[in-house]
Amino acid sequence: MTTDMNSAPPAASRAGRPGSPSRRRVLAGAAGAGLAVAAGVPQGAHAADLPPLGTYDVVVIGSGAAGMTAALTAAGQGLSCVVVEKAPTFGGSTARSGAGIWIPNNPVILAAGVPDTPAKAAAYLAAVVGPEVPADRQRAFLTHGPAAISYVMAHSPLRFRWMEGYSDYYPELPGGLANGRSIEPDQLDGRILGAELARLNPPYMDVPAGMVVFSADYKWLALAAVNAKGAAVAAQCLARGTAAALRGEKPLTMGQSLAAGLRAGLRSAGVPVWLNTPLTDLHVENGTVTGAVVTRDGAPGLIRARRGVIVGSGGFEHNAAMRDRYQRQPIGTDWTVGAKENTGDGIRAGERLGAALDLMDDAWWGPAIPVPGQPYFCLAERTLPGGLLVNGSGRRFVNEAAPYSDVVHTMYDVHDTDPAIPSWLIVDQNYRNRYLFKDVLPALPFPDDWYDSGAAHKAWTLDALATSIGVPPAALRTTVDRFNSQARRGEDPDFHRGDSAYDHYYTDPSVLPNPCLAPLRLPPFHAFRIVPGDLGTKGGMRTDARARVLRPDGSVIRGLYAAGNASAAVMGRSYAGAGSTIGPAMTFGYIAARDAAGMLQGGG
C-alpha cells in the first residue's frame, strides 16, 4: 500500500498480494534434517526406544485456538486425546489476541440478521485469496466454519458477539460486507477454571483497570474525549467492570475469554493439557505418523497416537534463523507480538518428514511501533484523521487506512527502490489532544523511554522533526503541505484514503468532509517509528481440504494434520477480515479432528 508523492499510487490491488521476493520458497525442503541433527533431536528410528508417555487416539500439539478446538472436537467424537504445550501457560498467541473470528455464515451473525449467504461468502473469499489457494480448501473452510462455531458453543461455556460495523477488509469486492462478518467471544468469568486460570497466557495488552472491554469497543474508546458515543462506550465498559466486581467475578474478554473457554471445555471433556512439554519430533511407523516425541519433566518420551497427530503449534515468528531463511529483509523477531514460544517446531518436524511448505515468506503483517518492552501493533492510530505515513525520503507511499497487512506488503514492495523500513507516522498536537494513542490518554505526554529508544520524536517545526528522524526537511514539508490541501477538501487522489468502507472503521465521524482526513497544523509535531510487525507468520505445512499434511507431489503424509499458523494459511497472501487467523485455525482444527475420527472419509 513507494511512489513519489506527485505520481500515482502503485498498481498492486487492495487484496495485497505482493510480488515474489527473490528468496521466496528457496530451501523449502533441504535443511530440515540438518536442523534436527544440530538440535540433537531423536529421529524416528530411535523414538520407539524412548520411555512411553501413553497412548491416545489423537495427540494435539499446541494449546492455541487451533489445537484446543481440535482436541475439543476429537473428544466429542469419542476419541481419547492429549494436548501438549511447549509453554508454561496455555492459550498461545490466541490468548494474547483480540480474538476476532472471521467465519462467514456462522450462527452468531445469522441470528443477528447479517445478510450473509454461502454464495456471497464463496465469491468474496475467492476474490480475496485468488487462485493460489485451492478451491476445495476454500470450500472446506466455508462449509465447516459455521459448524465449528456451533460445536464450540455446544461443548464449552463460550458464547460470541457480532462485531457490528467492523467491515470485511475489501467490502467493495463481490460478496464483501461493509458491516462485517467478524465475531468475538463474549464475557467469561475466569473463575470457571479455578486454579488453572493462573496458567492462562497473559494478554498482549492489559484491559484498563476496572473495565470490561471487547475488541469492538476500542474504536470508540480512542474517540472517548471527542465523541458522545465514545464516551458512552467508555462508561459502558466501566459499568461492566463494576458489575463484574460486585458479583465477585474475574471477567475475561477477547483472547483471554476464547482461550479460557476452550480450556474449560477440555476440562469438562477430560482432556489433559500438558504444559512445559515441547515437541521435538514426530514418530513414524510404516510410513504413518503414529506419535510424537516430546520433552516432559526434562526428559524425552514418546506419546503414541492411534488416529493421528494434529499440529497446531503456531508459526515461526520467534525463530530468527527461519525468518532470515525465508522472509524479506529487514526482518526481526523483536517486531512480532506472537507468543514467544512460536519458533516453528511443528513446521520443522513436518519438514523432516517431507512435508511441502507454502507461504513461508509471508506473515499476518501490521505496522508496529517498536516501543520498549514489546512492539505496539498500530491499528487506529495510523487511520485517525490528522496523521500520515512517510518513508525515508519524507514522502507518502500508501493509504494509511488500508488493511494492516497491505500496508506492510507495500513497505516491503517499495523498500528496495525507496526505503520505507522504517517508515514514520507523523501527527500534530491537535491529533494528540483528541485521540487515545496506545494506552496514553489524549494530551498526556508519552513515556520518556519512547523518546530514549527512538520510537517517538517531537519537535516544534516540521523541519526540526524531519532532522530528528533523518528524512529530508524540504520533502516532508512538501508532503505535509500537499496532504493538508487535499485533506481540507476531503479527498486523497494520491492513495484514495477514505474510498473504502473499511477505511472508515477507525475514524472520527465528527471530522468533515472526510472523517479519514484532517490537516496537520498545530505544533508540536510528533513522529513514530513504524516497522513491519506481525501477529505471527502465516506460512507452514501444505494441507488439503481435510487438514492432512501433503508432500510436494500432493501425496498425503498419513496420520499427520496441521491447522493454524503451523499450516499454510487458507487466506493465501491476503486477509479477508478481522479474525482471518483464528477463524480458519478453529475451523481446520475441527476438520482435522473429524477426519481423524473417520467423519470426513468421503471428503465432506
Side-chain angles (χ1 to χ4, degrees):
M1 323 207 136
T2 290
T3 69
D4 184 273
M5 58 170 287
N6 294 310
S7 65
S13 74
R14 283 186 60 87
R17 293 184 287 273
S20 298
S22 59
R23 296 162 60 113
R24 182 172 295 165
R25 296 194 182 93
V26 287
L27 305 174
L35 287 170
V37 171
V41 175
Q43 294 300 291
H46 309 293
D49 299 328
L50 293 172
L53 297 176
T55 300
Y56 298 83
D57 291 321
V58 174
V59 175
V60 174
I61 313 299
S63 66
M68 288 200 284
T69 302
L72 191 65
T73 306
Q77 310 305 311
L79 303 182
S80 61
C81 183
V82 63
V83 177
V84 297
E85 169 57 56
K86 177 181 183 179
T89 56
F90 69 88
S93 293
T94 295
R96 292 171 56 77
S97 74
I101 299 170
W102 195 85
I103 293 178
N105 291 293
N106 71 71
V108 178
I109 64 172
L110 295 182
V114 176
D116 203 3
T117 68
K120 286 181 183 177
Y124 178 68
L125 187 62
V128 168
V129 306
E132 188 169 8
V133 177
D136 63 340
R137 283 194 73 212
Q138 297 182 42
R139 189 164 52 249
F141 167 58
L142 296 175
T143 298
H144 295 286
I149 292 297
S150 294
Y151 183 91
V152 164
M153 289 195 292
H155 293 83
S156 80
L158 281 165
R159 297 297 178 266
F160 299 94
R161 304 158 54 101
W162 176 37
M163 299 173 72
E164 183 176 3
Y166 204 149
S167 169
D168 286 341
Y169 287 180
Y170 310 99
E172 296 78 22
L173 291 178
L177 296 182
N179 221 19
R181 294 176 160 99
S182 301
I183 60 174
E184 63 173 311
D186 208 340
Q187 182 176 335
L188 186 73
D189 184 0
R191 294 179 301 174
I192 195 171
L193 283 179
E196 189 69 11
L197 181 62
R199 288 178 277 276
L200 173 62
N201 201 23
Y204 155 61
M205 280 185 63
D206 289 323
V207 170
M211 302 180 83
V212 172
V213 181
F214 296 105
S215 278
D217 294 331
Y218 275 105
K219 67 166 287 185
W220 295 109
L221 293 180
L223 304 173
V226 295
N227 180 278
K229 183 169 181 179
V233 168
Q236 186 178 40
C237 293
L238 183 59
R240 288 192 208 112
T242 301
L246 291 173
R247 294 191 297 266
E249 296 178 356
K250 296 180 179 178
L252 304 175
T253 57
M254 297 182 281
Q256 297 285 282
S257 175
L258 181 57
L262 289 170
R263 182 68 184 89
L266 294 182
R267 276 174 44 125
S268 296
V271 176
V273 177
W274 296 353
L275 303 178
N276 296 298
T277 307
L279 171 75
T280 55
D281 206 5
L282 295 165
H283 179 54
V284 179
E285 295 176 348
N286 300 318
T288 299
V289 175
T290 58
V293 178
V294 301
T295 301
R296 181 152 169 81
D297 297 327
L302 174 63
I303 314 173
R304 292 187 177 273
R306 301 184 190 94
R307 299 288 191 101
V309 174
I310 302 174
V311 179
S313 53
F316 59 93
E317 55 266 26
H318 284 281
N319 186 318
M322 290 183 74
R323 298 206 84 150
D324 186 63
R325 173 184 172 192
Y326 289 110
Q327 298 193 316
R328 291 193 273 185
Q329 303 299 315
I331 194 64
T333 59
D334 52 350
W335 295 342
T336 180
V337 300
K340 64 182 183 296
E341 291 82 9
N342 290 349
T343 56
D345 302 353
I347 297 170
R348 287 184 291 153
E351 184 185 24
R352 290 193 290 272
L353 296 185
L357 305 183
D358 288 332
L359 299 174
M360 296 292 284
D361 59 292
D362 216 340
W364 302 99
W365 301 114
I369 303 173
V371 296
Q374 67 175 355
Y376 175 62
F377 197 86
C378 192
L379 291 174
E381 293 82 1
R382 64 184 168 81
T383 298
L384 287 163
L388 70 157
L389 280 170
V390 300
N391 60 16
S393 300
R395 296 191 289 260
R396 285 183 76 208
F397 63 98
V398 71
N399 169 9
E400 296 87 352
Y404 33 92
S405 56
D406 288 3
V407 175
V408 173
H409 279 145
T410 300
M411 290 172 71
Y412 276 116
D413 287 347
V414 304
H415 181 67
D416 288 342
T417 56
D418 199 357
I421 302 172
S423 299
W424 297 94
L425 173 62
I426 312 294
V427 307
D428 73 345
Q429 189 60 34
N430 181 56
Y431 172 109
R432 277 299 302 129
N433 290 340
R434 294 174 64 84
Y435 308 127
L436 183 74
F437 195 105
K438 190 177 181 285
D439 52 0
V440 180
L441 293 173
L444 293 185
F446 293 112
D448 288 343
D449 60 3
W450 288 26
Y451 297 104
D452 296 341
S453 69
H457 297 253
K458 181 172 72 171
W460 286 92
T461 67
L462 287 172
D463 282 9
L465 188 70
T467 300
S468 181
I469 65 177
V471 306
L476 182 60
R477 267 188 282 111
T478 301
T479 295
V480 172
D481 286 347
R482 179 178 175 85
F483 179 84
N484 285 352
S485 66
Q486 294 176 162
R488 291 185 188 100
R489 298 192 300 269
E491 60 185 36
D492 179 19
D494 295 334
F495 298 99
H496 306 287
R497 179 167 163 182
D499 286 5
S500 171
Y502 173 80
D503 295 357
H504 290 257
Y505 184 69
Y506 288 112
T507 55
D508 184 348
S510 70
V511 173
L512 298 173
N514 185 336
C516 296
L517 298 169
L520 286 68
R521 53 181 173 74
L522 182 66
F525 300 97
H526 307 263
F528 305 92
R529 183 182 178 92
I530 299 291
V531 297
D534 64 71
L535 303 170
T537 51
K538 65 158 51 174
M541 290 177 275
R542 183 186 302 166
T543 57
D544 66 7
R546 289 158 61 178
R548 301 177 300 179
V549 174
L550 303 176
R551 299 182 181 90
D553 65 3
S555 61
V556 172
I557 299 178
R558 295 195 305 273
L560 183 60
Y561 300 86
N565 288 352
S567 63
V570 74
M571 292 293 157
R573 301 191 181 282
S574 198
Y575 212 128
S580 291
T581 307
I582 293 178
M586 295 177 70
T587 299
F588 282 101
Y590 172 82
I591 289 171
R594 285 177 58 81
D595 192 75
M599 303 297 289
L600 301 182
Q601 290 302 317

